[in-house]
Amino acid sequence: MHKPLSTQEALIWVMVTAAIADRNMTERELNQFERLIGFLPVFQGFEGSIGEIADACSANLKSVNGIDHILDRVATSLPERLYETAYALAIEVAASDVDVKQEELVFLQMLEDRFALDKLAVAAIEHSARVRYRKLS
């Protein structure tokens, strides 16, 4: 039996999994973690080590049924009211590279399904990210 994740750890696991879904965590994605954790109210008071949390998440991802294990742990660690927040954080990390990869889209779909997110809410979150990360040309 694993130690339960804190709410903030679970949200970080979502961001880490979104970042490594394509097997390549970029500097932009790491910077995005730090920015989001330092800025968003949901992370107020966070004092953990992002590196240690990311390493633990990565180790779980490498295990048998890793992605399902991660989704299970995250779902049991988050209150339902933060499911959309978790999805929005995953979108932010995936979009930070501007080019969202197929593997990241698959993870986002898995997250949407696991949390049984409302389709309109998902569309709004995704549209908001597209608008924020739009290029000039």
Side-chain angles (χ1 to χ4, degrees), residues 118-134:
D118 177 76
K119 299 291 183 196
L120 289 176
V122 167
I125 292 166
E126 291 172 355
H127 178 74
S128 178
R130 277 193 301 278
V131 169
R132 278 192 310 285
Y133 290 95
R134 190 170 285 154

Side-chain angles (χ1 to χ4, degrees), residues 19-134:
I20 60 178
D22 64 355
R23 294 175 180 77
N24 182 29
M25 188 182 306
T26 67
E27 190 68 32
R28 277 185 164 178
E29 290 167 331
L30 289 171
N31 290 337
Q32 186 71 312
F33 293 170
E34 292 174 3
R35 187 181 75 75
L36 292 168
I37 291 168
F39 171 76
L40 293 175
V42 75
F43 291 110
Q44 188 172 23
F46 175 74
E47 294 181 5
S49 166
I50 298 169
E52 288 177 14
I53 296 168
D55 288 346
C57 177
S58 181
N60 276 270
L61 191 58
K62 293 175 186 172
S63 68
V64 175
N65 298 321
I67 193 75
D68 288 324
H69 180 70
I70 286 172
L71 289 171
D72 288 343
R73 288 195 66 190
V74 166
T76 59
S77 300
L78 288 178
E80 190 174 331
R81 67 183 182 80
L82 291 180
Y83 286 177
E84 289 174 349
T85 301
Y87 188 80
L89 290 171
I91 289 284
E92 284 295 316
V93 170
S96 67
D97 287 331
V98 184
D99 180 30
V100 180
K101 306 283 190 280
Q102 182 63 34
E103 297 90 347
E104 292 167 323
L105 294 172
V106 169
F107 172 68
L108 291 169
Q109 183 64 54
M110 293 174 79
L111 201 58
E112 178 185 345
D113 292 344
R114 183 61 58 101
F115 291 160
L117 296 175
D118 177 76
K119 299 291 183 196
L120 289 176
V122 167
I125 292 166
E126 291 172 355
H127 178 74
S128 178
R130 277 193 301 278
V131 169
R132 278 192 310 285
Y133 290 95
R134 190 170 285 154

